[in-house]
Amino acid sequence: MSLGAAEVEAFLADYAASYERLDGDAVAAHCGLPLAIAQGGQVFGFPEAEPLRDNMRKLCAVYAQAGLQRAAPRLEQLTLLGDHDAFALVHWRLTRADGSLIQAFRTGYQLQRQQGEMKILYVTAFSESLHAMREATP
């Protein structure tokens, strides 16, 4: 069975819920190994689970400090690449409990269904700014 938009959107909703719980381990569980993250002209590789979990815990700590309450993904583009792979371009809105915007950004994801589960293999974080998020912290 080929991947489709409904499956990818359900995956993104679950991924977002992990961020909303500020659960770095659950965020990392959505990723395959090895995982690569491209950001700011650099590529960061995570061939093993523990460094990946540690990275996602740190990211969730930044989000917690910014007051994250809601992480809302919107699938902008989906390119299916055979039966098991896809590229997804996602627009994210991160907001606080009062509805104020922490940050809006877009991220690209290389996805693959592995043993029946969707996993993120490659992230291109081309417009998220953790520096700007830290400055916007209430």
Side-chain angles (χ1 to χ4, degrees):
M1 180 171 119
S2 295
L3 292 175
E7 182 179 359
V8 171
E9 287 174 337
F11 173 80
L12 290 171
D14 191 62
Y15 185 51
S18 297
Y19 280 112
E20 290 173 353
R21 291 190 311 272
L22 302 169
D23 184 346
D25 291 349
V27 171
H30 288 82
C31 301
L33 294 174
L35 174 76
I37 300 173
Q39 187 170 29
Q42 298 180 24
V43 177
F44 305 93
F46 297 92
E48 298 175 358
E50 190 52 39
L52 174 61
R53 285 190 295 264
D54 185 55
N55 183 73
M56 296 307 181
R57 289 178 199 128
K58 288 176 182 174
L59 179 58
C60 285
V62 170
Y63 287 169
Q65 190 155 23
L68 178 72
Q69 176 72 29
R70 176 120 168 84
R74 180 174 43 86
L75 184 61
E76 286 190 351
Q77 177 185 337
L78 180 64
T79 303
L80 301 177
L81 305 166
D83 290 341
H84 302 283
D85 297 273
F87 172 80
L89 180 61
V90 178
H91 180 268
W92 288 93
R93 282 185 56 84
L94 307 182
T95 54
R96 297 180 183 88
D98 66 4
S100 63
L101 181 66
I102 296 170
Q103 191 171 186
F105 58 92
R106 296 164 71 212
T107 302
Y109 298 95
Q110 179 70 39
L111 305 171
Q112 184 176 76
R113 189 187 301 128
Q114 298 178 344
Q115 300 164 351
E117 289 187 39
M118 184 84 65
K119 296 290 182 180
I120 299 167
L121 299 181
Y122 198 97
V123 178
T124 303
F126 62 94
S127 70
E128 180 179 19
S129 172
L130 297 180
H131 177 72
M133 189 178 313
R134 287 182 182 110
E135 288 182 353
T137 299

